[in-house]
Amino acid sequence: MVSTAPLKTSKSEAIFTAAQDLMPGGVSSPVRAFKSVGGQPIVFDHVKGAYIWDVDGNQYIDYVGTWGPAICGHAHPEVLQALAAALEKGTSFGAPCQLENVLAEMVIDAVPSIEMVRFVNSGTEACMSVLRLMRAFTGRDKIIKFEGCYHGHADMFLVQAGSGVATLGLPDSPGVPKATTATTLTAPYNDLAAVKALLEENPGEIAGVILEPVVGNSGFITPDPGFLEGLRELTQQHDALLVFDEVMTGFRIAYGGAQAKFGITPDLTTLGKIIGGGLPVGAYGGRKDIMSMIAPAGPVYQAGTLSGNPLAMTAGIKTLEILKRPGTYEQLESTTKTLSDGLLAVARETGHAACGGSISAMFGLFFTEGPVHNFEDAKQSDLNKFSRFHRGMLEQGVYLAPSQYEAGFTSLAHTAADIEQTLAAARTVMATL
Ligand SMILES: *Cc1c(COP(=O)(O)O)cnc(C)c1O
């Protein structure tokens, strides 16, 4: 349980003010800057279980979980203990280490599509590498992605998720050459007809389709019944590859990811976040015939100085060991459903249009009547209301992702009392919106 003493943030403010002269926007990654909700970000001091403490001593119930990795709870004692032991043996070898085999076997056993895996250092790296592989294997340059899906910050994926601009394949960010995004085609999420049309308009040119099988990067959006099945059929008909970006959903939606949950097996999969247990890791894997094209087994070059380092492997292995224990996903599902149902009920009681839901340890709440099937629907949300909700929850001791367009995450450390306190806070805040 966290206390709800009035929020004092003078130390956070001083540190963040200083940071703005030192780093662009004062942060190492943009969404941390609270730009879309307003106000100043709070600066963390330490984390444990379901909680975070800021530099002013305020405690919060955390539903960001360092953007996903903390599914067992922050600073899990078993993970810390394993890391302390690994640390004694050194931080990086730049040479094979047996821990890579252990984590690779765990990933291959868990994720249906993965027969062989390559470890990298971030989700971005996994996605940019998988794209090179898609193109090399098919000998085709074009790919299809979905509006509002995020696949890291590599040039080829930074295509604006807005209608006219999206069709033109215009880059989302200055510095991204037009030529780089000209081969990135976009479709609305859950729109099979749009994907079919793109495949038919570009015969023999589409290397594959990449998507978040459950979206978390434009808020929480689930695939409509038949959508993933349809993509599997369409890609097969056109000899294109199907790639699930499970950087967020891997080991969160189910131990085997969304592909295990929905029973659809893609050709390739990207992973990150949870498989590093809080250290920097990404991975991509899939069919052996495709993965065998990666150097040095094959000609597709991809490398990394710190890839597969023993610390990241250790944190990943221990995290998956904990997740594999009986009852973990049932617990995550029930915790999250109680929270999600509760938030919707509170919104209804307090007279706010809202929709949302949850699967396993992932949830979302949009301030719009809904239903939300794609990014355009998500954009109907009342962003101003979300900002006020976010600030109010912070003042009540609840830390939510500082954007309407992010999913929420629970962990094994969140107790029934934490959920109850969160819902009580939501009732207090929503009554004032
Ligand atoms: C977080 C995320 C990425 C990028 O991973 P980083 O480790 O931040 O580079 C890619 N795809 C999805 C679906 C993500 O959620």
Side-chain angles (χ1 to χ4, degrees), residues 171-183:
D172 224 3
S173 159
V176 175
K178 256 190 213 129
T180 315
T181 52
T183 45

Side-chain angles (χ1 to χ4, degrees), residues 29 67 121-125 127 149-153 211-212 214 216-217 245-249 270 272-273 281-282 409:
S29 190
W67 301 96
N121 302 289
S122 69
T124 292
E125 211 187 326
C127 293
C149 280
Y150 181 65
H151 305 295
H153 66 79
L211 77 155
E212 296 177 62
V214 173
N217 285 296
D245 177 355
E246 298 228 39
V247 170
M248 184 184 289
T249 53
T270 55
K273 298 189 170 121
V281 181
F409 300 132

Side-chain angles (χ1 to χ4, degrees), residues 203-215:
E205 292 185 275
I206 309 279
V209 176
I210 184 166
L211 77 155
E212 296 177 62
V214 173
V215 183

